[in-house]
Amino acid sequence: QVQVVESGGGSVQSGGSLRLSCAVSGGVYKRYIMGWFRQAPGKEREGVAVIDTDTSKTYADSVKGRFTVSQDNAKMTLYLQMNSLKPEDTAMYYCAAADPHGVAPWSLLSSDDYKYWGQGTQVTVSS
């Protein structure tokens, strides 16, 4: 059974940085589409950044130039480096995995097709 565990959240001031990690176990990591999603109170969950099985990366417009998604296949770990954080980045951040070809290329940032989810890690950015 695939397990996904996030870590690295916390509280920072506006302009600060955080790095989130996502450890995957119980599966063949390199075969998954891996992504970061977030959900703020009272808002719908939204896609933040995704790495496809061909290592191509997709970012939400709101984080382009500030966030960087990367992976370490040997460690079966996904990362999200978040720089220049803003108060509107405050949310619960989730890591998720989808089966290869399980997500259409035009909907990589949509959470509907991701099969495996972590419990989330809170990120709070104060002004």
Side-chain angles (χ1 to χ4, degrees), residues 60-73:
D61 289 342
S62 59
V63 306
K64 282 181 181 176
R66 300 188 298 123
F67 290 11
T68 302
V69 62
S70 61
Q71 62 186 14
D72 184 330
N73 289 336

Side-chain angles (χ1 to χ4, degrees), residues 17-114:
S17 298
L18 281 173
R19 189 174 84 151
L20 305 183
S21 298
C22 168
V24 180
S25 62
V28 182
Y29 177 78
K30 286 191 288 185
R31 294 181 57 195
Y32 294 126
I33 302 169
M34 298 295 303
W36 288 100
F37 296 80
R38 66 186 182 186
Q39 187 167 20
K43 294 187 177 181
E44 293 187 354
R45 187 162 52 190
E46 62 174 353
V48 176
V50 171
I51 293 184
D52 207 335
T53 53
D54 63 357
T55 72
S56 61
K57 302 175 183 180
T58 302
Y59 294 94
D61 289 342
S62 59
V63 306
K64 282 181 181 176
R66 300 188 298 123
F67 290 11
T68 302
V69 62
S70 61
Q71 62 186 14
D72 184 330
N73 289 336
K75 295 181 179 180
M76 294 180 68
T77 301
L78 184 75
Y79 303 99
L80 184 68
Q81 178 65 44
M82 305 185 293
N83 299 328
S84 302
L85 282 161
K86 305 175 181 179
E88 50 263 44
D89 294 318
T90 295
M92 184 71 77
Y93 282 71
Y94 298 90
C95 178
D99 292 329
H101 310 299
V103 184
W106 54 85
S107 63
L108 286 171
L109 293 176
S110 170
S111 63
D112 294 345
D113 296 319
Y114 286 78

